Amino acid sequence: MHQRHLPASPNWYCSRCSDINGKGVLGFGAKNTIYLLNVTASSPAVTGELTGHTERVSGFAFCPHDGQERICASTSDDKTVKIWDAGQKILLKEHNVHQSTISAVHWSPVQKLLLVTGDEKGIVVCYWFSSNDTQSFFPEPRTIFCLSCSPHEENYIAVGYKDGMIVVIDISKKGEVIHRLRGHDDEIHALAWCPQPREEPLYGRSEDKTDGSNGVTEAAEMGCYLASGSRDQTVRIWSTARGKGVMTLKLPFLKRRGAGVDPVVKERLWLTVHWPKGQPSQIVSSCFGGEIIMWDLMKSGKQKWSLLGSSSDGQNHSRIVFNMSSFRSGDRELLLSTSMDREIKCWDLASLECCWTLPTLGGFVYCLSFSPVGTGCLALGIGDSMIRVWNTLSIQNQYDIKTFWQGIKSKVTALAWHPIKEGTLAFGTDDGKVGINEVYSNKPPQISSTYHHRTVYSLSWGPPVPPMSFADKPSYSLYSCAGEGVIFQHDPWKFSGEASNIDKLIRDTNNIKHKIPPHTDLSWKPDGSVLAIGNEDGSIEVLKAPMLKLLCTVQQHHKMINSLRWHHEHSPQNELQYLLASGSSNAIVYIHDLKSAIETPSEIPVLMTESFRTLSGHTNKITSLAWSPHHDGRLVTVCYDGTAQVWDVLKEEPVCNYRGHSGRLLCVQWSTVHPDLVWTGGDDFTLHEWAVSKQEHVTPPKSKKRAEMEKKRGPQKKSKKKKVAPEKGRMKAEERELPLGEEIKGAAEEGQSENDKEEEERENTDGPSVTGNGPSFLLLWYFVYIIFFILDLSLKKRKPRSILPLSTSMDHRPKEELQQDCLTLAAVRYSHGQSGTCVPGSGAHIQLGLFTDRDALYRMFQEEEESHVEAGHYDSMVYLRLWKGDLIGAITLAAEKGELTDHLLSLAPMAGYQVWARTVEAYVKQLCHHEQFLKAASHLVSIHKLYEAINLLKSHQLYREAIALARARLQPEDPVLKNLYMSWAAVLEKDGHYATAAKCYLAADSNFDAAKVIAKKGDVISLRTAANLAQISGESELAHSLSLRCAKDLMLFQDWAAAQEVLRTQDSLLGHRLVFSVNEILTQRLADTDVVTWSVASSHTWSKSCEENFLSMVHRVWQSEFGVAATDLVQVKMLHQQLRTVENPPATTSVPLKQLLFHISLDVTLCALSQLLCDWPSVLEELLQALTRGYEAGHFTLMAEMCQLLVTQGLESVTFYKQKLDSTDERSLVISQSVEALVCYQLMYKKWWNYSAETSALTNNTISNGHRLTEKNHSEVEANCNGEAQSDVIFSEGFWKVLLSEPHANLQATQRAIAEIQRRVTSLIQQHNPCKDTNASPQALSTSQSETSEDQGGSLSGKSSESLSTLTARVAEHHKALAAIPELVKKYPFPDVMECCIVLLHMEKHFSPFPPHIHSKATTLLCKYGTTELLCKSWKRLTQ
């Protein structure tokens, strides 16, 4: 489905989370998904995904048995084990025997279809896939980190634990421990068995030499070596025959090129080991900083290792390696490794060189951008705080990607290449940072000194605007738009300077007084002349550079604009460069044609409420858009529904739909090189490249498909949280990723910390429940009784705590000691202080301080205070200081400890005003800490800090109270009051409380914003209220637009009376009232036909259908109901000019009928006004537009009915109008010819169909489709055949001369020829593209070519040798011929002349013969201009 694919990053800190089978299929767990890759020595290719787990995948392994390579198993933190068929990508079986997090998995290489798993509680589960049986063992009460099944003994399993212990168990003996291998003192990260069954002698020091040998004996021949890698920085080789270690390999301290690594930091180490098949004397292990080393166990000397990728820089991983696996591809042994640096590498174990590197992604793909200078250079903004720049055209390395992380440190949410300076890339982040990176240098990025307050969503390079344009300006400025709704202009020459907010320039230039809505996106027209800005309220503002003069406002969306894009400028159709595509949160894409607003701007900005094209089909909010640079009007959109949709904008049709992602899509780019390739990225952490021509779907999925995609992403379980060990903690997908080079101390450097949390399933609550009978019920009542008894005791009155506890406790000693105190006190009092060692009020005599002098009392207070501090009784300490008279000290202490009270505050004035004010401020902070904001504000008011009190209430969202206080105490003109209202209104508007927000805006004299926020809901009542509010408050332009919008909504409901009532409130909408009246009359007339089938909610009596001429009735109603008549030509002319400015887009087949009738009504209104003005050329032109709309929309019945209403007498009516024209006015004559042709065209078909119906009815009383022709229909046919006044006209010579126009036949033939050649060019390109597919066989190519030829009906037979240059030359000739045709002929529509010729020749067989020269002319025109295959077939079929 896709060409190239960047998958999500493999999960970290798992003992076995990736594996490869013998067929070269690599699988690895990333988040809760398993990705599958086809691996060769030259390149990888992502082939699919396995989805089903609800939490992080913790392990993955392929079945190693021959013929079962497609079977694989995965484990997850959701405590399930799933068995998959990787070939068909389906789930085969699963079990959830484990009750704890699963940490290890392995297939038995010997025992067929045995899967072994281990969890953090120490449980080992054996699962036999074929029989679906399980068996659990509990060899050790330790946390399992890894396990490995023996490749030689089917019942032996080695298990590694967190504390460094390794055990070998025998599952045939109920999990009996065969060996306990002690030697490591930290986590066991990996275990690997030697592929050779016998224990050959090894070089090196044995850890238990008893006989001078190399650590093995002859009795050990039947054993097998086991290798282990541990966090203690050693790799150990164990003899399972003796149960002891035979070799210890200490990791070398390697210094990485380009960066120093501290080997002492054990937290940075994950030591995985792999023993390749066929190499029993060599082991591969990871090292400190991402290096991979090959150990030669048979090599003597100190250095037994060789470094992989040592020949050149950049081959090694830059961070620690987690998993390794190998397979044989031909005669080469290939090793696959995954790392914390988010890269998967393939190594040739013979040459120890890196074959290729596959980058992966550790976050959402927020943005994509192709360089306009560096061809094929694609920049990716990722949520893992890194920018990736991909040379997509690289031949040697199809994944040639450079990574940039310096200076970013947060999610990259926006990117923009400089338009002319190669390698200059601007980026924006989610913390509001804007920077510029030079991708072809090693310099750190420049960071703008101006930060946004929220996430940067859009960046764009454009011409500088004031104030920057007044200085020594650069050729381009950088514009950034962020979540707070502000657009900054940054000077790339002075990035450290202050950026300017363009809102000030917009306000000054356009004299805007009301609040500008928050901006959400911006897009400069490619030529830099016009800026489009999308807003939060769904409006789009189009501004002229450099002063940002407002040209027009587009009010089509009703929700926030997410993306704006201008059409490219290199189209041969010049008018396409004025197309602006917009996507918002309402799932609809609108295309706006801004040519008239840009080329002929009016003094007053135009309000546009009609789109040029409407693209609907997505089911969620649109996130990004991209025009194809290779096609005209080809657009791709991405959406939260998880799909990308390609549209043909001009035809308003879907082309294809891509559904390869498993999450929401966030960005899209069309390839700048290949016209068939599109790039998309989303929140599934993946980037896809896919071909438009290879998609099987055409439109986005419906709601059920949306539900399936949500299910595919996996449900998010509600879970409890628990603390986990730092080395096994898992962080959230977007939080666990750290940029390269970030140094964080300890375990946090690995993405973990002691406080990390992991999600866990809810505990199983199945078990016996308490019922109303038995001992459980009595026990429950006993507990309830005890609880109530304790509560009753707690409610009893307590004795207050003593403020002098130390001295009081001394009064509870034995009687002898109390009497001795009396003697001591007497001695102190009467010895005049000469009492020897006795110091009253301190130490053992503290109680005597109460009975002697003040100094003794103060000493007692001091010790009591120290006691209260130790006990935390600060209130008692404060009272003691108060009693001493130390008021300031008491207050200071209480403020420091947060123990201020109202009582202390009331005493503070005794120490002076300054002390009281400081005390109030401290008390306010204390109250805020306890969230007593109202009380805190009141205290601030007491010390005359009114503004601080208001800000306090405002900062804690207490807007109502803040406004009440400000209204009560501030002057009415104080700006703080207005700021309060505006801030509260913004919050209310965001929360959807539009009515209250409008009140705030009104109170702040922001009437414009009040009306807009009321209208934001979009229903009829809200729009009418908003229009009335705007009218009352003097915002006439806004009232005009809102009333018109409300009336259009009522028109869709056919509530004509209410629509006129709304328009009547605005004098400026008289012209639109005329349009609505014409629409109502037209709808009532068409209700008698098959055109209008809906019911009318309300209508006026003057619109009832009658026999009066349509235009005469319109004029009569205008005069009687609206006062518009030919007597007031000034008013009529003003109304005509007003309605001419209303946008009336061309009709298409997809326009709804109600909207089509409204557009026709506008044309008829203009025609009727021109008739009052006696402007006959305009009458005919507008009459032509009204008749043409039904023709262009493919609605023949509507066109015929409009001819019947507007041209009642047929050609005689047209002749009447022609007599009013100036015979020298060539333009008017051409228009009249087109009107005549359309009238004749529908008359021709009416005559033909009536004759066919009559003949069929008279012969077998049936019609062609098999339905019976009723008597009523038969009588209507006869009436039409016999009573038509125009029937004889059809056989006249003048009738056919109008239709058989040779200039128009020449024009139409030339246009058909150009279209035919373009189709051939497209066919040649489609045949050429599969030839570039290296995977396609010659048979497939020949088949596809033959199928293409058959699909084209042989149109290319005999012409396959035509080259592209030949076709291009022919197109140029036809364009030259097209240019020679008069512009007036090309400008106005005309029926298909060839079609009329064929119908004439067919009718001649059934009617009286036509004049010979008419027959001859029709035949000549067909021979000359009807050379296409389709016309020839139609000619033969109808004339035979």
Side-chain angles (χ1 to χ4, degrees), residues 793-801:
L793 290 179
S794 65
L795 293 175
K796 289 184 178 180
K797 189 175 181 180
R798 284 186 175 185
K799 184 178 180 180
R801 184 178 67 247

Side-chain angles (χ1 to χ4, degrees), residues 750-941:
E750 301 181 14
Q752 331 292 334
S753 70
E754 290 292 342
N755 296 323
D756 281 346
K757 312 288 185 184
E758 68 173 349
E759 293 191 358
E760 185 184 52
E761 288 187 14
R762 291 184 179 273
E763 295 181 358
N764 189 359
T765 57
D766 294 340
S769 60
V770 177
T771 61
N773 300 315
S776 299
F777 184 75
L778 296 177
L779 185 62
L780 176 63
W781 275 109
Y782 174 76
F783 282 135
V784 171
Y785 174 80
I786 293 297
I787 291 171
F788 276 105
F789 177 78
I790 294 173
L791 290 175
D792 182 66
L793 290 179
S794 65
L795 293 175
K796 289 184 178 180
K797 189 175 181 180
R798 284 186 175 185
K799 184 178 180 180
R801 184 178 67 247
S802 173
I803 201 170
L804 300 171
L806 296 182
S807 58
T808 302
S809 65
M810 299 296 285
D811 290 338
H812 299 288
R813 292 177 297 163
K815 180 175 64 174
E816 293 80 6
E817 294 184 14
L818 294 178
Q819 292 174 352
Q820 182 62 39
D821 285 345
C822 294
L823 296 176
T824 304
L825 178 60
V828 169
R829 288 184 61 81
Y830 294 102
S831 63
H832 305 288
Q834 306 297 324
S835 59
T837 59
C838 177
V839 181
S842 65
H845 303 285
I846 185 174
Q847 73 280 8
L848 300 182
L850 194 63
F851 305 101
T852 55
D853 55 10
R854 181 174 294 178
D855 293 338
L857 181 67
Y858 281 5
R859 287 194 294 271
M860 184 184 75
F861 278 5
Q862 182 63 34
E863 292 200 14
E864 294 284 4
E865 288 178 10
E866 293 174 358
S867 173
H868 286 313
V869 170
E870 292 178 2
H873 302 150
Y874 301 108
D875 54 343
S876 299
M877 182 180 178
V878 169
Y879 284 128
L880 290 177
R881 290 199 178 184
L882 278 176
W883 292 352
K884 286 195 301 183
D886 186 9
L887 180 59
I888 296 178
I891 292 175
T892 303
L893 175 66
E896 291 176 354
K897 302 300 182 181
E899 296 290 337
L900 284 172
T901 62
D902 292 332
H903 173 62
L904 283 176
L905 191 62
S906 66
L907 298 177
M910 297 170 56
Y913 177 80
Q914 297 296 332
V915 174
W916 173 58
R918 289 198 300 270
T919 305
V920 170
E921 292 174 356
Y923 193 32
V924 166
K925 292 181 180 178
Q926 179 180 318
L927 290 172
C928 290
H929 180 71
H930 294 288
E931 298 185 357
Q932 300 181 36
F933 306 115
L934 293 176
K935 189 175 181 180
S938 301
H939 281 294
L940 285 174
V941 173

Side-chain angles (χ1 to χ4, degrees), residues 203-247:
Y203 280 97
R205 182 181 61 83
S206 170
E207 297 187 4
D208 186 25
K209 286 188 179 181
T210 58
D211 55 358
S213 67
N214 287 333
V216 292
T217 63
E218 295 180 0
E221 290 181 357
M222 297 307 295
C224 179
Y225 288 126
L226 175 68
S228 61
S230 170
R231 192 176 180 179
D232 63 7
Q233 305 180 9
T234 63
V235 176
R236 293 178 181 264
I237 311 298
W238 309 87
S239 168
T240 57
R242 301 179 58 199
K244 294 185 178 181
V246 296
M247 183 178 291

Side-chain angles (χ1 to χ4, degrees), residues 1000-1060:
C1000 292
Y1001 284 130
L1002 287 172
D1005 294 328
S1006 184
N1007 304 322
F1008 183 91
D1009 296 316
K1012 285 206 71 172
V1013 75
I1014 286 289
K1016 201 167 186 179
K1017 197 169 184 180
D1019 60 287
V1020 171
I1021 298 176
S1022 299
L1023 290 172
R1024 182 180 295 182
T1025 304
N1028 293 336
L1029 192 153
Q1031 180 70 15
I1032 295 171
S1033 57
E1035 298 288 346
S1036 57
E1037 292 184 7
L1038 181 60
H1040 177 105
S1041 63
L1042 292 175
S1043 297
L1044 182 57
R1045 182 176 160 193
C1046 179
K1048 286 186 176 181
D1049 287 349
L1050 290 168
M1051 179 267 293
L1052 294 177
F1053 294 111
Q1054 299 293 290
D1055 193 350
W1056 299 107
Q1060 287 289 351

